[in-house]
Amino acid sequence: MVAIASVAKSLKNLKLQNTTTHLFRLQSIRTLLLQSASESVKLQKLNDSDSGILEVNLERPETKNAIGNDMLKGLQYAFETVNTDHTAKVLMICSSVPKVFCAGADLKERKAMSPSEVQNYVRSLRSTFSYLEALHVPTIAVIEGAALGGGLEMALSCDLRICGEDAVLGLPETGLAIIPGAGGTQRLPRLVGKSMAKELIFTGRRIGGRDALSMGLVNYCVPAGEARTKALEVAWDINQKGPLAIRMAKRAIDGGLEVDMKSGLELEEQCYEQLLHTKDRLEGLAAFAERRKPNYKGE
């Protein structure tokens, strides 16, 4: 029994070591995928042999990543590029600016807009975040520091949210005599419940990472500076699964939440049927029988 326990412990340590090594590779090997439509938005792909993990990096330090028209165009271009990349499996949205994810809309830029220009801007922002939400691959918001207003609304449009303990999240729009206009009034209550969402939006209260975790606003809260590492761990785990299955699971969950249970179960059946005749499903069965890692190709 002692020998068996020793072997089990050794295997566990080896698995942990392999995971740590792989995460180090993912963190250290990065290459620019393409030029964005904006200098403040960079799209990168992890240059790993089995990686389909992409990163959108926000880089506008002078405004704490506030979203102006130029950054908005960059985000739109990046999301469209990801959606047409057949090798993409997971998208992470990160910030290259220390201690800030995104401070929201660029209010200095907005101040110079006419009411009709503001309306068009907000409509475009809402449309962009809806497009992000509908991407065929899982998306992860990596939040270190402030995610306020439109910045939090962008994070709410992602499938998963991972933050550092020093994160500050909030929708302060009512303090400016407006409301969250890029999906915040709809996505926040779906995550944390109607009453809590009303409190946060009515008061504009800002919350920390631990509180965000306790109310279900984020999936993980980790020590400050470690959100990207945790996101890579989750992304790598997703990356090992059948990509077609992940896409169908996302479609079934998102679509099912908008309809009644009967219609949701019918949608689940439709999504399941689309996987029955795939090569990946047969590969998964074969790998299970042969006790090896499956080699999924998205076919």
Side-chain angles (χ1 to χ4, degrees):
M1 291 296 292
V2 174
I4 293 175
S6 178
V7 170
K9 183 177 180 180
S10 297
L11 289 174
K12 182 179 180 180
N13 289 338
L14 179 60
K15 181 179 180 181
L16 180 62
Q17 182 179 0
N18 288 339
T19 300
T20 302
T21 300
H22 193 87
L23 285 174
F24 175 77
R25 289 173 61 201
L26 289 178
Q27 292 178 78
S28 59
I29 304 177
R30 252 169 45 177
T31 182
L32 185 65
L33 179 64
L34 48 79
Q35 289 294 329
S36 171
S38 166
E39 286 299 314
S40 55
V41 179
K42 298 293 189 301
L43 179 60
Q44 298 174 310
K45 187 172 186 179
L46 300 187
N47 189 22
D48 191 77
S49 59
D50 63 349
S51 177
I53 303 171
L54 287 83
E55 271 188 296
V56 165
N57 261 286
L58 309 179
E59 298 183 7
R60 199 183 178 204
E62 68 278 8
T63 65
K64 297 183 179 179
N65 286 338
I67 306 173
N69 281 312
D70 181 67
M71 177 178 275
L72 182 56
K73 291 178 182 177
L75 289 171
Q76 292 168 342
Y77 186 77
F79 298 155
E80 289 169 1
T81 300
V82 172
N83 216 30
T84 56
D85 184 350
H86 70 279
T87 68
K89 294 181 182 178
V90 186
L91 174 66
M92 300 181 358
I93 300 181
C94 309
S95 168
S96 296
V97 181
K99 298 183 179 181
V100 63
F101 175 70
C102 175
D106 188 335
L107 297 183
K108 289 184 179 180
E109 190 174 292
R110 182 178 292 186
K111 188 177 180 180
M113 295 180 182
S114 67
S116 62
E117 288 174 329
V118 172
Q119 186 177 24
N120 288 334
Y121 168 82
V122 175
R123 185 180 294 121
S124 182
L125 192 64
R126 185 185 306 117
S127 174
T128 300
F129 291 167
S130 293
Y131 188 92
L132 166 62
E133 184 177 43
L135 285 182
H136 63 266
V137 299
T139 53
I140 305 174
V142 183
I143 305 170
E144 295 280 7
L148 302 172
L152 180 55
E153 289 180 299
M154 177 160 56
L156 291 173
S157 303
C158 293
D159 297 303
L160 307 175
R161 284 153 296 282
I162 298 173
C163 74
E165 289 179 329
D166 64 347
V168 179
L169 304 92
L171 295 173
E173 284 86 350
T174 54
L176 297 170
I178 55 175
I179 65 171
T185 64
Q186 302 305 304
R187 295 189 177 97
L188 185 61
R190 283 168 166 79
L191 278 174
V192 304
K194 182 169 70 173
S195 181
M196 181 59 71
K198 283 182 175 180
E199 184 213 332
L200 292 176
I201 291 173
F202 291 170
T203 65
R205 181 165 68 91
R206 301 181 182 189
I207 59 173
R210 288 296 172 190
D211 286 340
L213 178 65
S214 67
M215 67 177 63
L217 181 51
V218 300
N219 298 82
Y220 295 96
C221 179
V222 297
E226 296 182 14
R228 183 174 178 272
T229 299
K230 182 62 181 179
L232 283 168
E233 179 185 337
V234 174
W236 182 53
D237 195 14
I238 295 171
N239 196 42
Q240 307 309 302
K241 308 303 186 291
L244 296 180
I246 294 295
R247 295 183 186 189
M248 287 300 105
K250 177 172 178 174
R251 182 181 300 178
I253 294 169
D254 288 348
L257 284 174
E258 303 302 320
V259 298
D260 59 82
M261 178 63 78
K262 183 176 182 295
S263 300
L265 291 172
E266 290 173 354
L267 175 60
E268 180 183 82
E269 182 179 7
Q270 294 168 12
C271 292
Y272 193 100
E273 286 177 352
Q274 292 188 49
L275 300 169
L276 282 176
H277 303 291
T278 63
K279 294 180 180 178
D280 279 356
R281 188 182 77 86
L282 298 178
E283 167 62 14
L285 291 172
F288 178 80
E290 297 166 13
R291 298 183 179 181
R292 60 173 174 81
K293 178 182 175 182
N295 180 26
Y296 295 126
K297 297 182 178 179
E299 300 176 352

